[in-house]
Amino acid sequence: RKEVEQDPGPFNVPEGATVAFNCTYSNSASQSFFWYRQDCRKEPKLLMSVYSSGNEDGRFTAQLNRASQYISLLIRDSKLSDSATYLCVVGGSSASKIIFGSGTRLSIRP
Amino acid sequence: EAQVTQNPRYLITVTGKKLTVTCSQNMNHEYMSWYRQDPGLGLRQIYYSMNVEVTDKGDVPEGYKVSRKEKRNFPLILESPSPNQTSLYFCASRGFLMNTEAFFGQGTRLTVV
């Protein structure tokens, strides 16, 4: 079993739709959680950190469920510019180990 | 501007010809790492470094070497490249605290023929 698992997609949704991704992790001792966005052939960039209480940044909401060991990302009112691959990232007890999921590809159509 | 700089961006080489991909960061980060990204496999860590002269293997270190003589630089060395090392490579740096953001270089697309 992979340490961090994501549905690879692709998710193909119309502009304005709400879309949600989940990501599961296997190490219950994981301490830090992030969502990164990666555009085609470019470097990943931080979208948002995920906090225990959940957090929101504009149209994006991230949630953490420690009991079930998953994190989620919700995108509301999706835009064409949201088309990208979304990487789930889970960190251990130190900076030395952060593990990336394989990514979920999202495509927003007009 | 905070940045991680990798060079070259694109490289085509032949099997067995030693090459080095450079990585430099200007954020005084302690932690640097190298990843390779292949379709369906995501980002896999090759090597990482916690500080100057401290390096360790990641998940896929075979065929690679690194060094960390200065805090800002973390070159990736392929002593004898092989076609299975054809991939997209990313260097990343981050601060030492757990919840800090990782900054990535723009990537190096390597083809070994």
Side-chain angles (χ1 to χ4, degrees):
Chain A
R1 182 187 172 193
K2 290 183 181 177
E3 291 183 78
V4 177
E5 293 204 66
Q6 295 182 249
D7 182 339
F11 286 65
N12 190 331
V13 302
E15 198 173 4
T18 295
V19 61
F21 312 133
N22 277 350
C23 161
T24 58
Y25 60 94
S26 61
N27 185 355
S28 59
S30 298
Q31 299 286 333
S32 53
F33 309 89
F34 310 88
W35 284 103
Y36 276 70
R37 172 195 167 124
Q38 185 176 23
D39 294 300
C40 188
R41 297 197 178 107
K42 296 203 169 175
E43 73 273 25
K45 292 185 178 176
L46 180 68
L47 178 66
M48 59 198 301
S49 300
V50 186
Y51 302 119
S52 296
S53 54
N55 46 302
E56 190 173 307
D57 183 2
R59 298 181 293 107
F60 298 84
T61 300
Q63 298 275 358
L64 167 64
N65 185 318
R66 284 192 183 272
S68 300
Q69 294 182 205
Y70 75 85
I71 66 174
S72 63
L73 178 68
L74 181 79
I75 306 174
R76 289 181 300 277
D77 187 25
S78 53
K79 313 289 185 192
L80 295 175
S81 57
D82 293 334
S83 297
T85 295
Y86 291 84
L87 303 171
C88 169
V89 183
V90 175
S93 56
S94 73
S96 65
K97 193 72 173 175
I98 55 172
I99 300 169
F100 288 79
S102 301
T104 298
R105 198 149 54 92
L106 173 65
S107 178
I108 308 296
R109 63 179 188 270
Chain B
E1 183 192 351
Q3 59 183 5
V4 178
T5 304
Q6 280 179 240
N7 279 297
R9 295 285 311 280
Y10 302 92
L11 180 60
I12 301 174
T13 191
V14 295
T15 299
K17 185 176 180 183
K18 179 179 178 179
L19 66 93
T20 300
V21 185
T22 63
C23 174
S24 180
Q25 50 99 1
N26 64 358
M27 295 164 279
N28 202 38
H29 283 162
E30 292 85 3
Y31 178 70
M32 297 185 74
S33 57
W34 276 101
Y35 295 88
R36 62 178 287 175
Q37 188 173 35
D38 302 288
L41 297 177
L43 281 156
R44 294 180 293 168
Q45 192 179 55
I46 302 170
Y47 267 94
Y48 64 93
S49 169
M50 302 288 278
N51 216 322
V52 175
E53 302 292 2
V54 181
T55 63
D56 211 342
K57 295 177 180 179
D59 298 314
V60 288
E62 294 78 22
Y64 304 95
K65 284 174 58 176
V66 292
S67 69
R68 188 93 182 269
K69 293 186 171 58
E70 306 160 286
K71 199 171 186 180
R72 62 184 290 124
N73 295 325
F74 190 45
L76 180 70
I77 303 154
L78 283 73
E79 295 270 5
S80 183
S82 62
N84 65 11
Q85 293 178 298
T86 292
S87 188
L88 177 58
Y89 291 86
F90 288 104
C91 177
S93 77
R94 64 195 290 231
F96 206 69
L97 296 176
M98 255 190 322
N99 284 320
T100 55
E101 175 184 357
F103 291 85
F104 285 82
Q106 291 180 292
T108 296
R109 188 165 289 279
L110 172 66
T111 301
V112 184
V113 297

